[in-house]
Amino acid sequence: MVALAQTENDAAGFADRLIIHSPGSGEKLGEAPVMDAAEVQAAVARARAAQVAWGALSVKERCAALRAFRIKVVQNADALARAVSSENGKPLQEALTHDVLPFCDLMAYFEHRAPKILAPQAIHLHFMIQRRSYLHCVPRGVVGVIGPWNFPFSIPIGDAVMALFAGNATVIKPSEVTPLIALKAKQLWDETCRDEPRLHPDLIQIVTGRGLTGAAVCTSGVNQVMFTGSVPTGKKVAVACAERLIPCVLELGGINPAIVTADADVERTAHAILWGAFANSGQVCASISRVYVARPIAERLTQRVVELTASLQQGDPLNADTELGAMTFLPQIAIGQGILDDTIAQGGRVRCGGTPNGRFFPPTVLDNVEHGWRITRDESFSPLLAFISVDDTETAIRCANDSDKGLMAYVFCGDEEHGARIAERLEAGTTMVNNAIDSHGAPGTPWQGMKESGLGQVHSAQGLRDLCQVRHVQTRSWVPWLTKELWWYPYSPKVYGAFLQVMRVMWGGGPLDSFLRKVGK
Ligand code: NAD
């Protein structure tokens, strides 16, 4: 019996509680409170108080302390994976390898590198050489993290620990669809704090609720917001942050193209597209949804993907050999079904899959599709994969870029260098060549969207620095006989003329100008 209780969670407002059922079994898993604006503000105040001591620690000390949480997560990895799978409906193996494992890798990566990334950086001054300029990173304070339901552990908890590495405290608003896993993470955090005195339980706050609770996070006095979710909500978050002049990172939706050239390795490409389209039942912001394939290999590739799709095991998410589980969020099934119906009505051919059965949406391959149809424009966030045959790579690039989103793109190509040249022309935050969706698992690389897919980035050295105020300090060596700079008062025609002369000599195209450009001044 499929539970429909998530529809209760769609109701607006702060009233009542969130009631969570497992998408796979329908079993009731638990409840969570719907927190109002006052409760969110109280959470921010607790986080702010705890941040003072945390932010005063050196980055090295923070990294040493956070190590204890990473070890605690590894010790509880199986339980966490089971909790993710139960609440989200994704296969157990994906819960482990897409949520828990990358989180641990992210922590290990920044534990080792954060001290160097956040160390003061000298700026070489080209003229004012008696001065010393440097940048230093100061924690922002309290970072609000608002998360989606598709990666309910790795995204919100991963964003939160990035904020902690940078010296901030965090207030996490998990999705109303999957709040229990965040509460479980908080329980592990609190347990870790008992054994590691440098960690304070209040550094991580969880505020559960629906959209209004998320909106309250943006207006609660936090110093930055890290938001992952849909484009319409992301725009609301951006407006709320703009009104308070606080920075926000927005990680939003995608409708991600793959380009397959005629010399691509059909077998590897078929396996990559299969996984890239159907992992987490297509509920991945980076899912491959539209494939522009060179006409000479189109049928061979489509047929191979269809054969591989037929062998996928869909069923109880908690079975270790299940490859596709249940859809997480009931309204998403209707969105996918609507896009599927539209495609069929326009002449698209279903090669395998089709109509959902309760919460289980079969992996569905379509061909005979034309660029411009809704399936190539709207994010279905369901296991729908469209093949579009094209005559040449230029057409494929044009179609791939013809989108208001720009999260991920993929190129499958026999020649890696040629693939990289195509990749550089694609309007996406990340383009992978001969690979699929997992670059989020490489914490050293930026995760970012172009166009309506987002603003800013998470992960990477820059993503960590962005969680700090990067302040500039400039000092000047004391030269006793120089009591003032030349451009200070008093002003006079003589000084004015001297500056004009200096400008002509240095930048007016004469010999000193050429020399200075040569030596890089
Ligand atoms: P959503 O926008 O419906 O909700 C995301 C979060 O925002 C939830 O916690 C929700 O309660 C909260 N929220 C709702 N209204 C709000 C408001 N006015 N102010 C602040 N917060 C508010 O998104 P979703 O359905 O949970 O997630 C699916 C979407 O997320 C898809 O579009 C997917 O592509 C995208 N996504 C993007 C990435 C990425 O890294 N780019 C990763 C995962 C998911």
Side-chain angles (χ1 to χ4, degrees):
M1 175 62 192
V2 170
L4 302 183
Q6 278 171 11
T7 49
E8 294 166 29
N9 291 341
D10 301 334
F14 290 127
D16 64 54
R17 293 172 68 77
L18 304 174
I19 300 164
I20 306 303
H21 291 78
S22 169
S25 64
E27 170 203 0
K28 182 177 167 184
L29 297 176
E31 297 187 12
V34 173
M35 297 192 180
D36 64 18
E39 288 169 296
V40 172
Q41 273 180 11
V44 172
R46 285 193 297 275
R48 195 171 296 290
Q51 189 273 334
V52 176
W54 178 245
L57 292 178
S58 71
V59 184
K60 219 169 166 182
E61 281 178 298
R62 292 202 295 260
C63 291
L66 285 169
R67 182 173 184 271
F69 184 50
R70 191 237 308 154
I71 291 169
K72 176 68 86 179
V73 168
V74 173
Q75 285 165 349
N76 290 274
D78 182 45
L80 281 167
R82 285 176 192 282
V84 169
S85 177
S86 298
E87 191 177 13
N88 164 283
K90 67 175 71 177
L92 183 61
Q93 183 168 319
E94 288 183 8
L96 185 72
T97 60
H98 299 185
D99 269 274
V100 186
L101 183 153
F103 171 84
C104 297
D105 182 46
L106 173 101
M107 286 209 74
Y109 181 87
F110 283 106
E111 276 164 48
H112 183 61
R113 290 167 182 81
K116 196 163 171 205
I117 294 169
L118 298 179
Q121 285 179 358
I123 302 175
H124 177 72
L125 296 174
H126 69 313
F127 273 122
M128 298 172 171
I129 51 179
Q130 322 87 313
R131 299 183 185 197
R132 189 167 70 92
S133 262
Y134 63 94
L135 302 175
H136 74 126
C137 293
V138 178
R140 289 190 187 275
V142 180
V143 174
V145 173
I146 302 174
W149 43 258
N150 62 339
F151 291 90
F153 184 77
S154 62
I155 290 181
I157 313 300
D159 285 357
V161 294
M162 291 276 303
L164 291 175
F165 277 116
N168 303 293
T170 65
V171 175
I172 304 173
K173 155 58 183 91
S175 168
E176 55 272 50
V177 184
T178 52
L180 301 180
I181 186 67
L183 294 172
K184 187 160 181 62
K186 168 67 172 157
Q187 183 195 325
L188 293 180
W189 173 260
D190 289 351
E191 285 173 21
T192 314
C193 294
R194 277 181 224 136
D195 301 327
E196 172 47 79
R198 290 171 291 192
L199 300 180
H200 194 289
D202 286 348
L203 286 169
I204 293 186
Q205 303 285 328
I206 310 287
V207 291
T208 50
R210 308 187 182 87
L212 284 182
T213 309
V217 169
C218 302
T219 56
S220 61
V222 295
N223 304 94
Q224 176 165 3
V225 175
M226 300 174 84
F227 173 82
T228 306
S230 63
V231 174
T233 314
K235 288 180 180 175
K236 289 183 197 162
V237 169
V239 168
C241 291
E243 277 173 359
R244 283 151 196 87
L245 289 179
I246 57 169
C248 60
V249 177
L250 304 176
E251 299 292 345
L252 311 178
I255 165 97
N256 309 297
I259 292 179
V260 186
T261 61
D263 64 349
D265 174 339
V266 170
E267 192 60 17
R268 180 174 170 88
T269 304
H271 279 278
I273 288 177
L274 182 83
W275 187 68
F278 299 140
N280 199 6
S281 291
Q283 301 168 113
V284 181
C285 53
S287 290
I288 299 175
S289 48
R290 47 191 180 119
V291 180
Y292 301 97
V293 52
R295 210 173 290 283
I297 63 162
E299 178 50 32
R300 211 154 38 101
L301 179 67
T302 311
Q303 180 54 31
R304 187 63 185 128
V305 171
V306 169
E307 286 163 14
L308 292 170
T309 304
S311 70
L312 292 175
Q313 300 295 317
Q314 185 165 31
D316 180 358
L318 283 166
N319 283 344
D321 55 2
T322 291
E323 289 160 326
L324 266 92
M327 296 290 282
T328 314
F329 183 44
L330 204 63
Q332 203 62 46
I333 299 173
I335 294 170
Q337 175 81 65
I339 293 177
L340 174 63
D341 292 346
D342 269 17
T343 311
I344 295 169
Q346 285 180 288
R349 178 170 49 168
V350 177
R351 296 284 297 258
C352 64
T355 308
N357 173 17
R359 287 261 178 165
F360 292 85
F361 203 134
T364 301
V365 179
L366 296 126
D367 69 357
N368 235 8
V369 172
E370 284 179 25
H371 176 72
W373 293 359
R374 193 173 157 214
I375 196 168
T376 67
R377 297 219 174 272
D378 291 355
E379 184 184 45
S380 76
F381 228 48
S382 53
L384 296 180
L385 174 64
F387 282 91
I388 303 117
S389 302
V390 291
D391 291 322
D392 52 62
T393 305
E394 288 305 313
T395 306
I397 293 172
R398 188 173 42 74
C399 294
N401 286 339
D402 177 28
S403 169
D404 56 4
K405 314 259 184 332
L407 185 59
M408 292 288 284
Y410 305 90
V411 178
F412 295 92
C413 186
D415 174 358
E416 187 183 333
E417 275 314 305
H418 183 214
R421 298 291 84 74
I422 298 171
E424 287 163 11
R425 295 176 59 194
L426 296 181
E427 295 163 4
T430 298
T431 299
M432 301 180 83
V433 177
N434 292 333
N435 238 319
I437 64 175
D438 56 14
S439 93
H440 192 266
T445 63
W447 184 260
Q448 57 188 359
M450 317 267 103
K451 305 190 216 175
E452 289 213 334
S453 292
L455 275 181
Q457 58 187 260
V458 294
H459 298 176
S460 78
Q462 190 57 43
L464 183 62
R465 278 191 214 103
D466 287 349
L467 286 157
C468 295
Q469 288 177 357
V470 182
R471 296 184 186 166
H472 174 209
V473 174
Q474 191 175 78
T475 63
R476 187 186 193 284
S477 313
W478 179 246
V479 184
W481 47 267
L482 250 186
T483 52
K484 65 182 199 64
E485 305 287 349
L486 290 175
W487 44 89
W488 291 2
Y489 300 128
Y491 299 161
S492 72
K494 199 168 146 200
V495 175
Y496 182 86
F499 276 118
L500 264 185
Q501 189 56 24
V502 168
M503 285 174 65
R504 285 181 191 130
V505 171
M506 281 179 37
W507 300 313
L512 184 62
D513 184 349
S514 309
F515 172 75
L516 290 173
R517 300 298 80 76
K518 218 181 260 175
V519 297
K521 288 282 186 185

